[in-house]
Amino acid sequence: MKPDHTDLPQPICTVDIVLLTVRDDGLMVATLKREHAPYIGRSALPGGYIHADEDANAFGAAMRVIRDKTGIVPPYLEQLSTFSGPTRDPRGWSVSIVHYALVPGELIAQANNASVQLLPVDRPLALPFDHELMVRTAVERLRNKSQYSSLPCFLAGETFTLPQLQRIYELLMGEPLNKVSFRRKITEMDMLEPIEGGFETAGAHRPAQLYRLKAAFRQRLMLLERGL
Amino acid sequence: MKPDHTDLPQPICTVDIVLLTVRDDGLMVATLKREHAPYIGRSALPGGYIHADEDANAFGAAMRVIRDKTGIVPPYLEQLSTFSGPTRDPRGWSVSIVHYALVPGELIAQANNASVQLLPVDRPLALPFDHELMVRTAVERLRNKSQYSSLPCFLAGETFTLPQLQRIYELLMGEPLNKVSFRRKITEMDMLEPIEGGFETAGAHRPAQLYRLKAAFRQRLMLLERGL
DNA sequence: TGAATAGTGTCTGTAAGACAATATTCC
DNA sequence: GGAATATTGTCTTACAGACACTATTCA
């Protein structure tokens, strides 16, 4: 007779978040100093236990952890992957449901949380657990999805100009993009609306039109979580 | 003082598998009659608890569950997503790490397991838990990935002809494909090798060249799990 | 007016699809 | 030879990138 699951040791169940943002013309990941063992005092991804008494699901747990630990409510949050095994956490066989968040740089500044440390993703990160693998997986996912989606807009803030947005796409792709092709694609996707009379003027040159994401694309976060 | 995690009720942690295959010119999902409560006797996706004492990770747990319950060792297995929440399982707050498997029809026949029931994915499935959502998510993922990958080959068996493979791609895409374009793309991807002197002759017409996946593409399963 | 960047029009090469011709088998 | 399907060649059309021109601001 096989033992019931209640007899077996159950895995530890946590969530971790790869919070990505753009600063200093580069893609950065947010880390926090760990306040508890293991690896107390080391910089690591924000994470925590699922609270069965208050979380609606892993997505809600990730949102709560981000909000409580950084003061940021990310405009985009999506499940990335689940990491598991007996050795990834010294506490034992563990499961971490990892989400990645996209946040405009301005939101990080507004939160004004000194404990949040931004590290460039392109250099070695020296993070505990398998957090470095999580970051690399998230960046890869973001780069893949950026090729054919509006995701990078969530790194760009409430309003932005097309040259600014193109720069973000270029950062993610790692290569310069053709201006005409870029604008053609953005137009086809029909995801932006110009802000009447809104212009960004930053120097002795023609000012650029300001845009924002259309409402339908801003709502995507919720739709994704409801199963589509 | 916050309670330690050992004081909190921990979620139930399971794996489920969406096993997809092609039969009768349609995409099918494998189900089994449940042998335990809850929903005992109902058709549902194969699943089970993680065994912390023997599983290397969730991928290993999924592979073990599939092997033990169906006798099939799928040539392709990939993590899909993790489903979680307090209501998806009547036993309480639960986490299910879901993988999807691609299996050629012949492998199902070889396993000769009468308890495996194949249901067409295009019709309502009437599965317990959130299994129907899992199936829909898996099919969507497969369709997306098929557009630019060799995934559908894992539904096609050890050897196959180009017309056979094209039919599988068409099933997944839901539309007829241009023959010339299809062959151009396959050639570019450089993933197939012709079998010397191997031809499929099925009627009064020119026989078709047999192909198989190149070794590099067959290994992809393992690479994926090692972090790339 | 000149410098600098924003935004648009046009040309050209590449790649995808349509069409059609050829190849090979069994009857 | 005729039917049926496999495979390949060629033409046409659509799209992506290169290039260049116009627009608008400030100094």
Side-chain angles (χ1 to χ4, degrees):
Chain A
M1 169 95 190
K2 265 205 167 172
D4 189 75
H5 83 276
T6 49
D7 301 333
L8 287 170
Q10 279 285 291
I12 299 162
C13 206
T14 62
V15 293
D16 287 303
I17 296 99
V18 181
L19 193 157
L20 298 171
T21 192
V22 169
R23 204 192 60 185
D24 300 339
D25 213 40
L27 188 62
M28 319 284 274
V29 59
T31 63
L32 293 171
K33 295 264 186 235
R34 283 184 61 80
E35 296 181 350
H36 304 288
Y39 302 117
I40 187 165
R42 298 257 316 259
S43 285
L45 297 182
Y49 292 104
I50 286 175
H51 291 180
D53 53 346
E54 56 172 327
D55 294 327
N57 48 36
F59 181 88
M63 194 62 101
R64 171 181 55 76
V65 166
I66 280 287
R67 184 173 22 81
D68 290 355
K69 297 210 173 181
T70 70
I72 296 164
V73 177
Y76 187 85
L77 183 66
E78 184 194 341
Q79 189 183 129
L80 174 64
S81 186
T82 296
F83 295 73
S84 59
T87 58
R88 54 172 298 280
D89 187 314
R91 285 165 287 189
W93 218 105
S94 62
V95 164
S96 175
I97 307 172
V98 181
H99 289 67
Y100 71 105
L102 304 182
V103 176
E106 20 174 293
L107 258 191
I108 307 244
Q110 277 171 31
N112 192 29
N113 185 333
S115 60
V116 173
Q117 216 179 355
L118 297 183
L119 305 178
V121 299
D122 293 327
R123 266 172 275 172
L125 294 166
L127 299 178
F129 306 102
D130 45 3
H131 285 189
E132 189 141 3
L133 176 58
M134 293 175 182
V135 173
R136 272 193 282 127
T137 307
V139 170
E140 194 187 346
R141 169 83 66 94
L142 173 60
R143 292 199 162 129
N144 273 330
K145 282 211 168 190
S146 295
Q147 288 171 343
Y148 55 89
S149 80
S150 57
L151 271 198
C153 296
F154 293 104
L155 293 167
E158 192 73 26
T159 67
F160 46 85
T161 69
L162 288 183
Q164 283 168 354
L165 187 60
Q166 179 170 352
R167 185 69 198 115
I168 291 175
Y169 272 88
E170 287 174 340
L171 279 179
L172 296 177
M173 300 302 164
E175 58 184 8
L177 297 179
N178 182 285
K179 187 168 53 166
V180 179
S181 301
F182 177 75
R183 282 160 185 257
R184 258 198 298 245
K185 192 177 292 183
I186 295 291
T187 305
E188 272 167 23
M189 293 173 77
D190 194 34
M191 63 190 190
L192 301 185
E193 53 190 12
I195 295 166
E196 293 297 327
F199 291 93
E200 174 95 351
T201 170
H205 53 79
R206 176 173 177 176
Q209 174 70 54
L210 280 171
Y211 293 86
R212 78 174 133 240
L213 253 192
K214 287 188 178 177
F217 287 80
R218 265 179 275 140
Q219 306 295 342
R220 221 161 69 87
L221 186 150
M222 300 310 162
L223 292 173
L224 275 171
E225 196 44 27
R226 296 173 83 191
L228 179 69
Chain B
M1 169 90 190
K2 267 206 167 172
D4 189 74
H5 82 279
T6 49
D7 301 333
L8 288 169
Q10 278 285 290
I12 300 162
C13 207
T14 62
V15 294
D16 287 303
I17 297 99
V18 180
L19 193 157
L20 298 171
T21 191
V22 169
R23 205 193 61 185
D24 300 340
D25 212 40
L27 188 62
M28 319 284 274
V29 60
T31 62
L32 293 171
K33 295 264 185 234
R34 282 185 61 80
E35 296 181 349
H36 304 286
Y39 302 117
I40 187 165
R42 297 259 315 261
S43 285
L45 297 183
Y49 292 105
I50 286 175
H51 291 180
D53 54 345
E54 54 172 328
D55 294 328
N57 47 36
F59 180 89
M63 194 61 101
R64 172 181 54 75
V65 166
I66 281 286
R67 185 172 23 79
D68 291 356
K69 297 210 173 183
T70 70
I72 296 165
V73 177
Y76 187 85
L77 182 67
E78 184 193 340
Q79 189 183 128
L80 174 65
S81 186
T82 296
F83 295 73
S84 58
T87 58
R88 53 172 298 280
D89 186 315
R91 285 166 288 189
W93 219 106
S94 62
V95 165
S96 175
I97 307 172
V98 181
H99 289 68
Y100 71 104
L102 304 181
V103 176
E106 20 174 293
L107 257 190
I108 308 247
Q110 276 170 32
N112 193 28
N113 185 333
S115 61
V116 173
Q117 215 179 353
L118 297 182
L119 305 177
V121 298
D122 293 326
R123 264 172 277 171
L125 293 165
L127 299 178
F129 306 103
D130 45 3
H131 285 189
E132 189 141 0
L133 176 58
M134 293 175 182
V135 174
R136 273 194 281 128
T137 307
V139 170
E140 195 188 346
R141 169 83 65 93
L142 174 60
R143 292 198 161 130
N144 273 330
K145 281 210 167 190
S146 295
Q147 288 171 342
Y148 55 90
S149 80
S150 57
L151 270 199
C153 296
F154 293 103
L155 293 167
E158 192 73 26
T159 68
F160 47 84
T161 69
L162 288 183
Q164 283 168 355
L165 187 61
Q166 180 171 352
R167 185 69 198 114
I168 290 174
Y169 271 88
E170 287 174 340
L171 278 180
L172 296 176
M173 298 303 166
E175 58 183 8
L177 298 179
N178 182 286
K179 190 168 47 169
V180 179
S181 301
F182 178 75
R183 283 160 184 257
R184 259 199 298 246
K185 193 177 291 183
I186 295 291
T187 305
E188 273 167 22
M189 291 174 80
D190 195 34
M191 63 189 186
L192 301 185
E193 55 191 9
I195 295 167
E196 292 296 328
F199 292 93
E200 174 97 350
T201 169
H205 54 79
R206 176 172 177 176
Q209 175 69 55
L210 280 171
Y211 292 87
R212 78 174 133 241
L213 253 192
K214 287 189 177 177
F217 288 80
R218 265 178 275 138
Q219 307 295 342
R220 221 162 69 88
L221 185 151
M222 300 309 164
L223 293 172
L224 275 171
E225 197 43 28
R226 295 173 82 190
L228 178 69

